[in-house]
Amino acid sequence: MTNLDSIYKAENYVLSTYNRFPISLVKGEGSYVWDADGKEYVDFVSGIAVCALGHSNPSLVKAITEQAQQLWHISNLYYNEPQVLLAEKLISLTGLGKVFFCNSGAEANEAAIKLVRKYFYRHNEAGRNEIISFNKSFHGRTMGALAATGQAKYHEGFAPMVAGFAYADYNDLSSVEKLISDKLCAIIVEPIQGEGGINLAELGFIRGLRDICTREGIWLIFDEVQTGVGRTGKLWAYEHYGLKPDIITMAKALGGGFPIGAMVVADKVASGFAPGDHATTYGGNPLACAVASAVLDIVGETEFLDKVKARGDYLVQSLKDIGDSRIRDIRGQGLLIGVEFSEEVGDLIKLCVDKGLLLVGAGPNVVRFIPPLNVKEVEINKAIAIFKDALKAWQSN
Ligand SMILES: Cc1ncc(COP(=O)(O)O)c(C=O)c1O
């Protein structure tokens, strides 16, 4: 099929929930993808921070093939080896206590919302069911995760929202203090707000949230769906702050492109759930867990993470060297980089795609650079050359 064939069929048969670029991607290798008409693109979207090891990574192809030949799916009625091995790995890599597996970031956050509420219910404080999240946050599209998401545009038309959420301002502890009451059970925060514009949490803010949660006897949830699994140059973004959340939600890069999500929790909060409280048919299936284990074996290595940081620094420097006067700010950590412009970037991103570079926005004025974590310098150079070219064309508009 050509690009046009796919577009035609999508228009006719796929529910229209996405604004898509007019290309159908058919093949990927490393940091490159190709469309149905044979055009090559440097992929600095990576499936939105998912394909951490690039496309068709041989170690992941091996892991999935071997597991596919063994056992794909059973049910959580039974134990399965890849699941328990992955759980053991996640516990050893976080120092937390227990894992719940699911299939996506939104589901990991749903699990966290349910867990913190059920914890207090079980401990005879059912009235403690309110959660603080932050303006400009993004936690997913299911009803609970959506209610946690502090952006009105995502709520529009979906009323009534799930009750029990209040929104504070990011990096503003006093706005959090104002919302504290004896009904509070948790605070959920992204260490870097991804969809909200690549906004970094300050050290004092995160430490303050930790202190508030400890003081109030409530749970601190880190949504590491986008920042987790090496994206910021540490395996988990919380490591940048020298503290630990009580609950970490993760997905995206965990499966390197195969759908899997997880909620990893401290032992003390794990008692919130008992058998029957929460479940999912696919969560933690052998195929997904085998791939995720292979991802963590590679990304979890210190040398690999050091390279993420080095490549991130190189990318930031290369972006700074462009020196375009419309660039207001370049910010991020590791390979989660946002370039903020003084105007909306939709047309700039379209120009990049036309010229062979895939990029995605983060809010109206920010272009997000989220290449595979093992991107090479030469690929960064290529992306920057295309970006510069697109900036020139954008200028002449
Ligand atoms: C921080 C964060 N949380 C949750 C989600 C939702 O994840 P999913 O799309 O896998 O449901 C996203 C997706 O972009 C995200 O960036």
Side-chain angles (χ1 to χ4, degrees):
M1 288 203 301
T2 64
N3 283 330
L4 272 179
D5 292 333
S6 285
I7 294 165
Y8 175 79
K9 286 192 195 296
E11 299 264 308
N12 278 291
Y13 306 122
V14 181
L15 193 69
S16 175
T17 62
Y18 302 103
N19 282 316
R20 302 191 209 241
F21 295 96
I23 53 174
S24 170
L25 300 176
V26 293
K27 183 179 155 57
E29 200 179 312
S31 300
Y32 293 94
V33 288
W34 289 266
D35 74 17
D37 298 341
K39 184 171 166 184
E40 180 181 281
Y41 302 83
V42 190
D43 183 5
F44 271 41
V45 173
S46 322
I48 316 197
V50 167
C51 306
L53 297 173
H55 298 279
S56 302
N57 180 281
S59 303
L60 303 193
V61 171
K62 182 170 180 282
I64 202 165
T65 307
E66 284 176 5
Q67 189 57 46
Q69 286 163 347
Q70 190 72 24
L71 183 70
W72 291 35
H73 178 78
I74 43 168
S75 151
N76 285 304
L77 289 170
Y78 316 102
Y79 297 97
N80 85 66
E81 207 174 286
Q83 183 184 111
V84 295
L85 291 175
L86 177 61
E88 186 179 36
K89 216 164 266 180
L90 283 168
I91 294 311
S92 121
L93 291 169
T94 57
L96 293 181
K98 295 280 189 295
V99 183
F100 174 82
F101 289 109
C102 51
N103 314 290
S104 68
E107 281 175 80
N109 287 329
E110 289 293 332
I113 292 162
K114 288 178 75 177
L115 176 67
V116 293
R117 288 186 170 176
K118 197 78 185 228
Y119 175 89
F120 284 106
Y121 171 86
R122 280 194 189 286
H123 290 78
N124 303 317
E125 279 192 90
R128 262 199 189 274
N129 52 33
E130 289 189 354
I131 297 172
I132 293 178
S133 74
F134 292 91
N135 292 316
K136 296 195 182 159
S137 61
F138 185 83
H139 298 292
R141 305 288 194 141
T142 52
M143 288 308 282
L146 190 62
T149 294
Q151 298 194 59
K153 67 175 182 188
Y154 292 117
H155 292 189
E156 198 181 331
F158 296 117
M161 298 304 295
V162 173
F165 290 84
Y167 313 99
D169 290 329
Y170 202 62
N171 282 327
D172 180 355
L173 283 175
S174 68
S175 74
V176 178
E177 291 283 4
K178 279 186 203 140
L179 295 175
I180 286 173
S181 76
D182 57 7
K183 296 187 83 183
L184 205 60
C185 64
I187 297 177
I188 182 166
V189 66
E190 293 161 88
I192 297 177
Q193 290 186 327
E195 303 300 310
I198 315 296
N199 308 315
L200 275 76
E202 287 158 13
L203 183 65
F205 173 63
I206 292 292
R207 290 202 173 151
L209 292 183
R210 178 65 277 176
D211 290 346
I212 288 170
C213 287
T214 306
R215 184 189 80 205
E216 298 295 320
I218 59 173
W219 306 114
L220 180 59
I221 306 167
F222 263 35
D223 178 340
E224 294 235 25
V225 168
Q226 188 150 171
T227 55
V229 195
R231 179 56 56 186
T232 68
K234 301 255 187 211
L235 192 54
W236 317 109
Y238 73 78
E239 295 172 53
H240 294 288
Y241 301 95
L243 49 75
K244 238 176 234 180
D246 304 301
I247 298 172
I248 309 167
T249 57
M250 58 188 74
K252 286 193 182 279
L254 184 58
F258 196 86
I260 180 169
M263 169 179 73
V264 185
V265 309
D267 269 324
K268 54 193 176 173
V269 63
S271 63
F273 275 167
D277 279 341
H278 196 49
T280 149
T281 297
Y282 288 120
N285 97 356
L287 211 50
C289 290
V291 187
S293 270
V295 170
L296 287 176
D297 285 346
I298 297 170
V299 177
E301 289 291 327
T302 311
E303 251 176 44
F304 184 93
L305 292 165
D306 289 347
K307 274 196 197 150
V308 173
K309 188 182 174 318
R311 288 180 195 118
D313 291 346
Y314 182 76
L315 173 57
V316 167
Q317 193 52 52
S318 308
L319 287 164
K320 282 184 179 158
D321 290 345
I322 293 176
D324 190 291
S325 63
R326 292 162 300 178
I327 294 180
R328 266 207 216 134
D329 192 20
I330 298 170
R331 54 179 180 262
Q333 220 165 16
L335 284 167
L336 177 52
I337 306 296
V339 182
E340 185 179 334
F341 283 85
S342 50
E343 50 202 281
E344 294 200 0
V345 294
D347 286 344
L348 173 61
I349 292 174
K350 273 188 204 147
L351 279 167
C352 289
V353 175
D354 285 348
K355 292 174 184 295
L357 169 65
L358 303 187
L359 290 171
V360 61
N365 289 21
V366 177
V367 180
R368 194 170 4 170
F369 286 72
I370 36 177
L373 301 181
N374 56 1
V375 66
K376 299 184 178 79
E377 268 189 24
V378 47
E379 292 159 352
I380 294 177
N381 295 343
K382 191 160 182 179
I384 293 288
I386 298 173
F387 191 55
K388 268 183 175 166
D389 211 28
L391 279 169
K392 264 191 220 138
W394 196 38
Q395 211 143 23
S396 60
N397 275 342

